[in-house]
Amino acid sequence: MDEITLGVPQPLLDSLPEDGSGAAQDMQRAVEGYEQRINRLIEEADDDSEAAGAVLDIIEHFETRGERFDEFVPELRAWGQSPIFAIAWRNLYADLIAQLYEYDWLATQLDRERNARLVEDGVRLSDL
């Protein structure tokens, strides 16, 4: 199992306003923390399947966080405030998920684990 490397995309950082350096630093620190956590979970896992299960838990966390920030966008606009930071965080979480799926060995295992969870939860493909 290869070590996972994650990063904040430069276009995302470039989209932040001039006074957004604090947000950029926060994003970089968050990504470093997630990267360390993911690599620790993979290292501690007994096999690829267990590693994928742990990473899928983090991906589901990313999806939840992204949805939360997405919900802030119309609310901020309604109050006449710029939603740029909410959009940036939402996009960061989506990009982190994409970065994880770029690892072929992990993408295959993540798909298997996600399908296993669907079946385990009793959800059928016809329900989607």
Side-chain angles (χ1 to χ4, degrees):
M1 293 181 277
D2 298 333
E3 186 170 296
I4 302 294
T5 303
L6 300 174
V8 180
Q10 191 60 44
L12 194 143
L13 293 174
D14 293 342
S15 73
L16 296 173
E18 294 291 327
D19 61 345
S21 64
Q25 290 174 350
D26 289 345
M27 287 178 173
Q28 289 169 334
R29 272 189 249 124
V31 170
E32 288 171 7
Y34 285 127
E35 180 181 299
Q36 291 171 358
R37 182 175 172 198
I38 288 169
N39 284 317
R40 187 184 78 248
L41 290 169
I42 290 172
E43 185 179 309
E44 293 173 355
D46 293 332
D47 57 20
D48 286 356
S49 179
E50 184 179 330
V55 174
L56 188 56
D57 290 339
I58 292 174
I59 287 175
E60 289 173 350
H61 170 74
F62 289 167
E63 291 169 343
T64 301
R65 299 283 297 184
E67 289 169 5
R68 180 179 298 154
F69 282 109
D70 194 45
E71 291 169 2
F72 289 150
V73 172
E75 187 173 327
L76 288 167
R77 284 189 176 136
W79 285 95
Q81 297 181 12
S82 172
I84 189 67
F85 294 110
I87 291 169
W89 279 98
R90 175 199 65 194
N91 292 348
L92 174 63
Y93 286 116
D95 195 85
L96 291 174
I97 293 168
Q99 288 178 45
L100 288 169
Y101 272 94
E102 287 176 5
Y103 291 88
D104 291 334
W105 70 269
L106 183 57
T108 303
Q109 291 296 327
L110 287 171
D111 289 341
R112 286 183 187 149
E113 181 65 23
R114 194 175 291 265
N115 289 337
R117 288 182 183 187
L118 283 173
V119 172
E120 185 177 295
D121 290 342
V123 176
R124 302 292 177 248
L125 292 178
S126 61
D127 295 338
L128 298 178

